[in-house]
Amino acid sequence: MSARRIFAQPARYAAIAPYVWMVLFFLVPFGFVLKISLSQTAIAQPPYMPVFDFTEGWAAIKAAFAQLSLDNFTLLVSDSLYISSYLRSLVVAVTSTLILLLIGYPIAYGMARLPQRRQAIAMMLVIIPFWTSFLIRIYAWINILQHDGLLNKILLALHLVSTPVVWLSTDTAMYIGIVYSYLPFMILPLYATLARMDPSLLEAASDLGASPGRAFWLVTFPLSLPGVGAGALLCFIPIVGEFVIPDLLAGSGSMMIGQTLWLEFFTNKDWPVAAAAAVALLVLLVPPLLLYDRLQRRQLGGEG
Amino acid sequence: MAGKVNRLSPFNITALALGMAFLYLPIVILVIYSFNASRLVTVWGGWSLRWYHEFFNDRAMLDAAWMSLRVAAVSATIATLLGTLAAVGLVRGERFRGRSLFSGMLYAPLVMPEVISGLSLLLLFVALNAERGFWTVTIAHTTLTMCFVTVVVQSRLASLDRSLEEAAMDLGCDPVQAFLRVTLPLIIPAIAAGWMLAFTLSLDDVVIASFTTGPGSATLPIRIYSEVRLGVKPEINAICTMVIALIAVVIVIASLASKLSSSQGESAAPL
C-alpha cells in the first residue's frame, strides 16, 4: 500500500504539462471567443473593436464592463438566418442520428454474434474507415452521386429510372454523406455494450418461452440502451456543428449553423458575430455534452 | 441451447454484408477510377498512371502534401508525449485539484464541432499576434489529437496490473524507474497506436487547419477541399488513393503493434 502511495506522487506531476497545454489551448481560447463575441464590429482591420484591452490596466477593464455590448447576440435572435440555421442543424442532427441508429444497430448486433476471432476482424473493418480520411470518403461519394456518376449509370442500366436523377446538392446526398461518415462512431459503442452482454440472459428468456423477437425487445434492447445513448450522443453532438459534409453535398438553400459561422467569419469577415454564433452553438451543445460525459463516466466506472 | 441462441440469423448476415459494402464500396470505386486514363472522371478509358504523374508535377499540391506530412509528424509526436503523460496522470495519479476539469477538457474536443475549436484557437492566435502558419496549425492539431492519444493509452494503462509496478518498487526501483522499466514497455503498443491515430487525424483535418493556417501554407486537405468544391478532377482521385495507401500502411503497422500488445496481455482496443 505504501508503495502505491509513493508511486502516485510522480504520476500526479505527469499531468502538469498536458494540463497546462489544455488550459492554454483549449480553455483560454473560449475566453477570447467570449470576449470578441461581446465586441463591436469595426470597418477597419482587424475586423473587430476590442471592448477591453488588458494592457490598459484595471480602469480600462472596469470601463469595458460598463459598456459590454450584447448587440451580436441580439442580432442572432433577431435575424431569421441564424434561427433557421440553428433549427436546420437540430433537424439534420436528429434525423441523421435516428438513421444511424437504424442502420448501425443491426450491424453492431450482427458483429456481436460472430465467433470471437471474427469479431476482432469485423471490429478492425469498422475502424479502418474511421482512420481513412473523411474528406476522401465524402469525395468518393461525390464521384458516385454526380450527374453521370455510377449510381445514375446503374439505375439507368437497370431501367429503374429513365433520366438521370439529381443526387448531388440535395439533402439526400447530405444525409448519405453524414450517415456514411459517422457510422463507425455509432457502431462501436453499440457493439461494445452488445458484446459485453451475458448470453445466458437470452437463454433464460428462451427457456421461459420467449420468442427470439420478444427476447430481443424485452432483454437485449433495454440492456443495450447505454450503448444506444453513447452512440447517439457521439454522433449528434458533432453533426450539429458539421461544416464540410453539408457544404460539399447539400444544396445552397438553407445552411447549418457550422456553415453560417464559417460564412460569417471567412466571407463576411464579421468576427464578433461569428464568435457570438460559436458561443450560442456551444451553449446549445452543453446539455448533450454533459449527458455524454455522464454516460462515459458510468461506462468507465463499470469497467474498472 | 447456447448454440441456438447465439447462431447468426440470415438477418444478421445480411446486415453485416450490406454494412461492410456500404463502408468500403465508395473507397474501392475511388481507387479504381484513380487509374482511369480518361480525362472524364465518369468514362472509363483504360488503366493509366497519368494522374499520379500529374500530381508529381503539381508544385502547389506537392508543397501542400509536404506541409501536411510535417504538421502531422510533429503534432502527432507532441500529442503522443502529452497524451501519454495525461493518461498516466489520470490512471495512476491520486485525485488532484481540478481533475474533473482536466478529464472534461480531454473529452470535450473528441465531440466538439471543429468549427468552434478552430475559431477559438484562431482568435487566441490573433490576440497573441502570432504569425499563422506551420506552428499554429501544429499547435491546433496537437490540442485535438492528444485527447485521442489519451483515450487509447488510458484504456491500456487501466487494464494493466498495478502490482507489477509495486513489485518493481519492492525490489528497489523508484517510481519513475518502475514506470520506465516495467510499465512503459507494456504500454508501448498503445502509445504507437495513439501516435498513428494522431498522425492520420492531422493528415485529414480541413476545418481546424483552415482557421489556423496563414496565407501560403495550405495543407493537403485544404487544397483538396478547394479543388473538390469546383468539381471532381481525376488528379484528386490519384492524390486520395495515395493518402489511402499511406494510411493503410499506418494501419497495418498499428494492428501489428496491437497484436504484439494483445500477445503480452489483454488486448487494447485501437480506439
Side-chain angles (χ1 to χ4, degrees), chain A residues 42-299:
Chain A
I43 322 282
Q45 291 286 334
Y48 69 94
M49 245 167 58
V51 168
F52 48 92
D53 193 347
F54 293 113
T55 52
E56 308 245 318
W58 183 238
I61 294 173
K62 239 166 61 180
F65 270 101
Q67 49 164 346
L68 274 188
S69 140
L70 288 171
D71 290 357
N72 300 312
F73 290 95
T74 10
L75 180 69
L76 287 190
V77 276
S78 58
D79 192 331
S80 64
L81 170 71
Y82 299 99
I83 309 244
S84 71
S85 299
Y86 285 111
L87 284 178
R88 176 161 163 86
S89 295
L90 282 180
V91 169
V92 170
V94 169
T95 314
S96 315
T97 306
L98 289 177
I99 303 173
L100 277 161
L101 265 174
L102 282 177
I103 298 181
Y105 202 102
I107 300 176
Y109 188 77
M111 278 171 66
R113 289 301 171 93
L114 287 171
Q116 208 71 46
R117 272 183 68 89
R118 296 240 175 106
Q119 278 190 27
I121 296 170
M123 171 125 153
M124 200 65 212
L125 283 174
V126 171
I127 289 171
I128 288 172
F130 172 81
W131 289 66
T132 319
S133 166
F134 93 103
L135 179 62
I136 291 177
R137 288 182 290 136
I138 294 305
Y139 173 66
W141 275 105
I142 297 181
N143 267 335
I144 295 171
L145 296 175
Q146 61 185 319
H147 187 72
D148 44 3
L150 207 66
L151 183 61
N152 272 335
K153 276 190 187 156
I154 292 171
L155 290 177
L156 287 171
L158 294 174
H159 296 291
L160 286 171
V161 293
S162 50
T163 48
V165 181
V166 178
W167 296 104
L168 262 192
S169 306
T170 64
D171 278 6
T172 313
M174 179 189 65
Y175 281 116
I176 290 176
I178 292 179
V179 167
Y180 184 68
S181 306
Y182 285 89
L183 196 55
F185 293 91
M186 181 58 86
I187 293 178
L188 290 173
L190 282 176
Y191 164 75
T193 50
L194 285 169
R196 221 183 300 156
M197 209 170 283
D198 188 349
S200 60
L201 291 171
L202 282 183
E203 283 168 40
S206 92
D207 285 349
L208 292 169
S211 66
R214 246 180 102 74
F216 174 81
W217 274 116
L218 294 176
V219 181
T220 310
F221 188 69
L223 283 173
S224 70
L225 279 177
V228 171
L233 286 170
L234 203 54
C235 294
F236 175 85
I237 300 168
I239 291 175
V240 171
E242 189 54 60
F243 166 74
V244 174
I245 303 174
D247 192 56
L248 290 178
L249 295 178
S252 52
S254 57
M255 289 190 291
M256 290 176 68
I257 187 61
Q259 292 170 277
T260 309
L261 194 164
W262 183 282
L263 186 82
E264 212 55 75
F265 191 86
F266 283 108
T267 312
N268 298 345
K269 303 234 192 283
D270 193 339
W271 292 14
V273 172
V279 172
L281 174 56
L282 205 60
V283 170
L284 183 79
L285 287 177
V286 163
L289 272 170
L290 289 178
L291 208 63
Y292 175 74
D293 189 53
R294 251 180 66 184
L295 275 173
Q296 197 67 27
R297 248 166 245 267
R298 195 180 304 163
Q299 234 164 5

